[in-house]
Amino acid sequence: MSGGGTWGLILLVTGLFLAIPHSTRRTRNAGGLLITAGIVSILYALPRFGPWFEQLVFWALALLTVGASAAAISMRSPVYAAIWFAVSLLGTAGLLVQQHAQFVGVATMVVYAGAIVVTFLFVVMLAQPEGHETHDRLSWGRLAKPASILAGGTLMALLGSACGAVLNGDIPRAGDGQSLLDDSSELARLGNELFSVHLLAVELVGTLLLVALVGAIALMIHGRERRATREVPDA
Amino acid sequence: MVDGTTIRLLSSEIVLLGVLAFLFLAGTFVRRAHGWWPVFTALAFAALLAIYGFVDRRFADFQISDSQGIVLNGPLVVDLFGLLLRQFALVIGLLLALLCWRRHEEELTSERMGMIVALVIGLLIVARANDLVLMFVGLETVSIPTYVLMFLGRRDRGSAESTMKYFFLSVFSSALVLYGFSFLFGLGGSTQLVGAGGIQEGVARAVAGSPASPLVPLALILLLGGLGFKITAVPFHFYAPDVYQGTTNSNAGLLSVAPKIAGFLALIRVYVAIVPERYDLGWQLPLGIAVLTMTLGNVCALWQRDLRRMLAYSSIAHSGYMLMGIASTVAAARSGGIAAVIFYLIAYSLTSLAVFGAFAFLESQDRPLQRLEDLSGLGKSNPLVATAIAVSMFSFAGIPILAGFWGKFGLFTSVLQAAQGAQGNASWFLFLAIAGAVNAAIAAAYYLRLISTMYFQEARGNLPLGGGLGPFATMLASTILIVGIGLFPGITMQRARLADESLPQPSSGTRMRAEHPPAQPGFQDLSRADEGSR
Amino acid sequence: MFAIEKLILWIPALPLLAALITALLGPKFLRSTCHIPAIIGIGASFLFSLLLLTEVRREQDAAPPGGFERIVTVWNWANLNDAYEHAEAAQPPRAVPLRIDVVMRIDALTSMMLCMVTSVATLVAVFAAGYMHGDRGYWRFFSYVSLFVFSMTMLVSVSNFALLFVFWEAVGVCSYLLIGFWYEKPEAAAAGKKAFLVNRVGDFGFALALFLIWTTYGTLDFHDSQSVDSIASNATAVAADDSLIAASVANPGTSGVLGKARIASGGYVGGAVGFVICALLLLGACGKSAQFPLHVWLPDAMEGPTPVSALIHAATMVTAGVYMVARCTPLFMASPDAQVLVSCVGGLTALLAGLIALTQWDLKRVLAYSTVSQLGFMFLGLGTGSLAGITAAMFHLFTHAFFKAVLFLGAGSVMHAMGNVIDMRRFGGLRRIMPITYGTFLIGSLALAGVPPLAGFWSKDAVLGAVHDKLHLYEQQIELRHAQGGGAADATTDPARAGIGGLETLTDGQLVCGIQAYGWLYYAATLTAFLTAFYTLRALLLTFHGTERVPHEAHGHAHESPASMTFPLMVLAAAACIAGLFFDQTYNASLPSGQRHSFAAFLASAPQLAAGAVGKTPALDSFHLSVAATSVLVSLAGIGLAMYLYLGDTREVRVLTSLFNLDGVVQSLDVRRVFRWRWVAALDRMARRAGLGLVATVTGYLLGAVLIVVSAPLLVAMYVSPYRLSQRKFYFDELYDWGIVRPLRGFSRLLASADRWLIDSLVNFVGAVPPAIGAVCRRMQTGLVPFYALAMLLAMLLLLASQL
Amino acid sequence: MPEASQQLFNYLIVGGLVFALGTIGFIVRRNLIVMFLCAEMMLQGVSISLVGWGRYHDRLGGQMLVLFMIAVAACEAGVALALIVMLYQKSGKLDVTFWQGVREEGRAAFVDRNVPRELDREDHWPRLTPAGIEPTLDEEAPLHRSRV
């Protein structure tokens, strides 16, 4: 990764250190700034790849995605974390659509943002957060935050340097890069592949959904019985 | 599009799906006689095992004889490895259904049995998957029922805690696996693992380039990190002692068997298949992890007074032994490492089920079997169960004429073979063999401590024997199988070796494309669409 | 007619089944009926053995020239070979194949041993049903006995040295368990331990021999493994045709140690290696068969229940060594020195044990030493190495089993009636109280003594004849050498006179030594025959003749034993009478000299024994009339002497024994007694009072010294007086105690202290390392999920950073 | 086509960033729900790079994998929800460090030390009223959206 990228990474990591709980409002604000600056400089250091408009859209979406992710992990309130996560999903969906993966992008939106995150929001709010829970305000242990942020930063750096190898072009492309651009048949091809090659996986995932559904219900029943038995001596 | 071949190939899965649906549906309406669900499930597995011998076996034999051992086309691979491990998965399903049969369970029995069936479906798929998508879905089909089953154990805090730990770390690890998969996809440009234009070729290409692409080690390490969680390899093992300790005995038995089989199957199907020949990192990683895993597992087990915690460390150590086979087979393809791993996996799983079956039999809802001291005097009070536990411990420790001995024998042989086969790296494998031998010696200490507790300490009161028939049957059947395999190791060993030989050989460049046999007509529906669409 | 491959499986399986049934059901359900499964199992096994014998007899006539054998692969235990068969031939095998097969063999030797073992075992089991009645360990006893029969039948029918060793140990374990059956008795426990430990010495030699065989011949199988495969494929007896032999010889890996192909081609290693192998095998055999110098355990083993003594320590297990040496005949053929060694050990043991038996007062001990002596006879016969000698030894083994069993069971019957008193000085004249026991004991005694029509005469005479022949062989060879005037070199060029019985390769020195050895051995054997007759009759007369005396332990109701005990006695006595009939002389000069009685002719079809006839056997005089006459004469002399001494008035006995027994003389001069004399003590006191203490002390010491000097020769004379030597068993136990046990104990104490201070601390250090590592590693188990995730991530980063 | 690899690199970096952020969040955060969301965030990173690879190779395999990831994530989310609710009912907390009772013997439990004083008192958190229970309205406490 180039120098700008390295500095951006340092900025990002510093910002995260400031923003992630335990933090105060002041450090959070400063952290937010640093994070944004870091992401921007990383993105700026990345090689350009296309027409300016496409590049601009990519930058915006990437900034949205990464920034919202950073915000999601630094928000003390789980509610806000979930909302920022949803925003990050929006950015992700945009990135996917930009990569001519329209269906997947929309599915991400619908399933993740529409279903999962909203459900989690409900759960969070049902849990009735009484203001600032200790576990939301603090990380565990004194070294946890620096260690994990350092580890995460190292991970980013290593990933960056490893992925830099693709710029050499020594990974041959399997196709010519044109067929995905044909938007009109995208969905049809997706469906074709989904129900021919991956038919078995589709069936299996259907089973899995059923199992998960029944499992979730079973968990609820199991837990409810527990409560019922616990209440007996009280009555 | 679906023709008879596919149906027959997937007959086991289809039947099991039917069983699953029946369990879920009928379980909702029938609110009585819950004790029959495990019997029904076990019978279903038994019947399927019998049927398997006719339908799937014949089909597979037919296919294999046609195409020299392997059908590589699309997401499913039909070979003797899959055949053997699928049969074994059905056996495991049968034993697990019995193991999870609780005497006093009023509700949710059918759901739990359904989860076991789903888990076995996952194992069946993983044993045959040749595609990242199918592999991923298969692995998750093993994982998700496991979460549910773990939560449906006891209703105490420890059980909930262990479920939580397992769930969260498992989700974390599957993210790692997926990230590794993404780089594999990137390297190969396809989700197919072995075959024309598959990931195996891509990885070989990337390694052959100068300099070798750094994405290969990245992908391999992420893959090992994620799968290492499933097989409890150090340093991805942390959850195992806590989770085993917190959960019930039957769940610990399940946990020591199902994810581990799935993990090793995936490791063989993905990792071993794609690592090219003469790629040093490919064997160095499992070798290092193997040494770490078995050493750490054994030395930590020495300290434990909690039964399940000790067995958790023991299962960690056993994973280390099996990784020895993986390392040696990656280094020298003809070392017989996979055969040894298969044999060891079978021996280990059966032994583990025997132990946990015995433990589950010895406890009741009111009185869990937790500490080592709880077993004291068992040799006098219940000699049969004590014998089963002692046999299992001897098998774990690798005492001759039991299955575990032959497993270790095979593993060490393969390591020594690899030491011969891997020119210039012999010292690594000799070191591995010595480390393995030292570990086997250390391990004997805590296994024998358990046995001596049973036989040479005064009883502290009778154990309730509240597990009922199911765990007892599991214990008995597994023990008999251990002894049987120990007495007749040739049968299993031969099948394991055939399975090993049926696996695709590691690629050394782009030769696979030229030598690949033409597509089978019966697999049109499963063949790649993008090839067909052109 | 009957599938003998099936029969051979049932014969061991039934006793095993009986053992399991008795062990599992015995304590709870069967209780006092434990003998039923054992008797049925062993009895059925006996019937099957008889069937097997007749089948073998029928089939061996059609056998190919190499001898009759059939190999049955029961079970491919640990057959990892199969796993490699499917690998393509072009590729190197992936791993070292390992193959341990459980293979049984059927041939004349095995079927004869099976018959002997199971028949005696059946009768002993019947006897024990009465004898052990009411014992607390009733089920244990029958379980052990059945297990022993299983082990013993397997021992004689396996076809592999490794398995032979396994069952060799198994019978040892059964013997240990049964000697120490009454483990509350300290003597019994000690005797069991002693037997086990002494046997360890032999087993160690045996194991070494196995390793040597493995390294020398590359296999531990008796049979040629090619014949196994073809048996498996077409289930027909394998003809030892030339092509097979050629193939086996060309590929030495497939020809077994004792296989037909190797025997035919003579592919055996002689010289030092061959001698060492044989000597080690002999050491193993000495342990199990109680031969000098490892004979000390057997008399002590009489602490076990008497049926056990009869079965294991007289008839069956102790003959395992004989069986093994006979089975290994081809190995011994390759080393004439080893043969001489076998004969010497046998002859020496026979004589020594015979001498010891003369003076024992314990009835069972007399019989035990007699067993040792007779086993020595068998080794003497084996050592001749000729077919005649080996078959004679096996014949003696066969007949001995019956008459020794009848003697032991008779002794058991006496013990039963006498309230477990076995000292012959305390009872006598029992022939009216126990007529059946007396009658059968008499038959057994006469058979043992070698009185002509009975079994013992024929077999003993055959052994003596074989030794006599061997002596002649050596003499003839010497004469041949002299006549040729040359050494061994040109003997090979003259096939007609190449040499006799494989002796042509010996040097002149070896020949002379052989002549000396076999000459002395022949006389020793004759002397032993005399001694045998004497001590046997002595035991008989002391027990059943003279004035009627019954010890008080019998509680006044000494009586004949119940039918379950007398019935086996009578059957065995009948067998002891007629077993000699197998020795029907045909005087067929066309047969080789070894096969002139049908028993030997039968046995000679076993390939290994047939090897004894490989060398040219000269036409010696067949029925050794002179030998037979001599042995009968000395037997009668022994019997006569015993009758003269012990029949009727026993006053002469005391006179005679006191001639040999200097105890009384020496005791009167014992130094230690001097100081106990009253007047010496008084003198000593007076001297002290008179203030002459010093003088008195010095005088006392001087006096003592003089007395010691005077009495020392007498003391020595006392301890080495013949009677005392015999009575104290030539001090073997003391010798071993002072020579081996005590030094070893001191050495081990030294080692133990070294161990405690040096090794232990080292081991403790090594043993402390893993827990120490564990103590560090387990600190990481904090129980926190995020910490675990962090650790996983850090580990992966470490790996990644090292690779990128 | 160098552009393609540059585009791929961009996407890989973004994916890697999201993945790493998710990892950090998973480790640092203690709220069970947030932890789960962070795990999902890791999956987002994976899907970005997968789709990037798919575009590079012009293959649908990457999208396929993402699709199945989404489906499986939905399954996991269902189980996770049920699990978290049950855990919350047991403990009354969503704190992951609450669940450290099972650990190595002799290892001291983690406890929060030096919990800082709450500085941001003015923050108020949205909540839902439990269904079926009449809300007890505290007049002085300002509700988040008091006008509704």
Side-chain angles (χ1 to χ4, degrees), chain D residues 25-90:
Chain D
F26 187 85
I27 296 171
V28 143
R29 297 306 298 266
R30 284 164 62 180
N31 190 310
L32 290 176
I33 291 176
V34 178
M35 279 176 76
F36 187 76
L37 290 181
C38 288
E40 300 292 315
M41 196 187 290
M42 292 166 79
L43 293 185
Q44 287 311 305
V46 175
S47 55
I48 292 173
S49 55
L50 266 175
V51 170
W53 279 112
R55 171 94 167 88
Y56 178 75
H57 284 301
D58 199 17
R59 285 284 185 271
L60 286 170
Q63 294 188 27
M64 285 296 132
L65 204 45
V66 175
L67 264 181
F68 284 100
M69 260 168 53
I70 291 169
V72 168
C75 300
E76 278 181 352
V79 176
L81 270 177
L83 188 65
I84 288 172
V85 168
M86 288 303 111
L87 293 175
Y88 181 75
Q89 285 177 351
K90 272 187 203 301

Side-chain angles (χ1 to χ4, degrees), chain B residues 453-505:
Chain B
T453 307
M454 287 192 306
Y455 284 98
F456 303 125
Q457 285 191 11
E458 289 304 312
R460 293 187 167 187
N462 287 325
L463 289 161
L465 308 184
L469 196 58
F472 185 76
T474 310
M475 174 196 84
L476 211 59
S478 308
T479 312
I480 290 169
L481 280 174
I482 299 165
V483 177
I485 291 179
L487 291 178
F488 304 92
I491 307 163
T492 318
M493 196 77 92
Q494 178 182 359
R495 298 178 124 234
R497 194 158 285 277
L498 289 175
D500 183 1
E501 277 158 20
S502 79
L503 281 174
Q505 294 303 308

Side-chain angles (χ1 to χ4, degrees), chain B residues 402-424:
Chain B
L402 291 171
F405 165 73
W406 295 112
K408 283 211 174 64
F409 176 83
L411 283 174
F412 283 114
T413 315
S414 78
V415 170
L416 294 178
Q417 286 285 310
Q420 288 175 4
Q423 287 90 356

Side-chain angles (χ1 to χ4, degrees), chain C residues 27-221:
Chain C
K28 293 259 172 69
F29 302 104
L30 295 175
R31 292 171 195 278
S32 62
T33 54
C34 281
H35 56 277
I36 293 173
I39 291 173
I40 291 175
I42 301 173
S45 174
F46 169 56
L47 291 181
F48 284 160
S49 303
L50 279 182
L51 277 177
L52 186 75
L53 188 76
T54 53
E55 286 299 302
V56 169
R57 223 188 135 84
R58 205 166 55 82
E59 295 206 14
Q60 72 180 5
D61 298 335
F68 169 78
E69 69 173 350
R70 192 166 295 179
I71 308 298
V72 183
T73 305
V74 182
W75 175 23
N76 295 337
W77 183 53
N79 185 1
L80 306 191
N81 264 355
D82 286 356
Y84 299 86
E85 279 171 7
H86 296 263
E88 297 93 308
Q91 289 161 346
R94 284 189 171 185
V96 188
L98 174 77
R99 183 175 188 133
I100 305 172
D101 287 346
V102 178
V103 181
M104 298 173 84
R105 59 183 299 114
I106 304 164
D107 62 11
L109 189 56
T110 292
S111 59
M112 168 248 152
M113 287 297 287
L114 283 176
C115 272
M116 189 274 286
V117 169
T118 50
S119 60
V120 175
T122 309
L123 292 170
V124 167
V126 173
F127 181 88
Y131 186 85
M132 301 297 291
H133 188 75
D135 195 281
R136 269 198 305 145
Y138 199 64
W139 67 273
R140 212 154 46 88
F141 180 85
F142 283 100
S143 179
Y144 290 167
V145 165
S146 305
L147 192 66
F148 167 77
V149 176
F150 160 71
S151 308
M152 190 68 200
T153 46
M154 284 301 285
L155 171 74
V156 297
S157 52
V158 293
S159 185
N160 182 318
F161 271 115
L163 287 171
L164 179 67
F165 189 65
V166 168
F167 289 103
W168 188 269
E169 295 293 319
V171 292
V173 167
C174 292
S175 155
Y176 169 75
L177 290 173
L178 283 165
I179 294 172
F181 183 75
W182 289 309
Y183 49 82
E184 297 93 344
K185 249 172 50 176
E187 300 89 4
K193 207 162 66 183
K194 185 173 178 182
F196 205 67
L197 287 178
V198 174
N199 263 306
R200 282 280 78 66
V201 179
D203 294 344
F204 182 63
F206 193 20
L208 280 182
L210 294 199
F211 295 146
L212 257 182
I213 289 172
W214 171 258
T215 53
T216 311
Y217 298 106
T219 176
L220 287 177
D221 283 349

Side-chain angles (χ1 to χ4, degrees), chain B residues 164-165 168-169 172-173 176 214 217-218 221-222 225 229 235-239 241-242 281 285 296 299-300 302-304 309 313 333-336 401 406 409 413 417 442 486-490 493-494 497-498 500-501, chain C residues 75-80 82-84 86-88 91-96 98 100 767 769-778 780-793 795-796 799-800 802-804:
Chain B
M164 190 278 291
K165 282 178 177 170
F168 274 91
L169 288 170
F172 185 72
S173 83
L176 294 181
L218 183 65
I221 288 169
L222 284 169
F229 172 86
F236 314 104
H237 70 288
F238 289 102
Y239 74 98
D242 294 0
L281 184 69
L285 279 177
L296 199 130
V299 295
C300 286
L302 287 175
W303 285 91
Q304 305 307 325
R309 202 173 179 85
Y313 280 116
R334 305 209 66 81
S335 66
I401 83 148
W406 295 112
F409 176 83
T413 315
Q417 286 285 310
I442 295 174
L487 291 178
F488 304 92
M493 196 77 92
Q494 178 182 359
R497 194 158 285 277
L498 289 175
D500 183 1
E501 277 158 20
Chain C
W75 175 23
N76 295 337
W77 183 53
N79 185 1
L80 306 191
D82 286 356
Y84 299 86
H86 296 263
E88 297 93 308
Q91 289 161 346
R94 284 189 171 185
V96 188
L98 174 77
I100 305 172
V769 168
I773 302 171
V776 176
C777 293
R778 66 196 281 251
M780 290 193 287
Q781 295 287 339
T782 56
L784 281 172
V785 170
F787 175 79
Y788 294 168
L790 178 63
M792 285 166 72
L793 184 67
M796 269 188 359
L799 285 176
L800 275 176
S802 69
Q803 292 302 322
L804 296 178

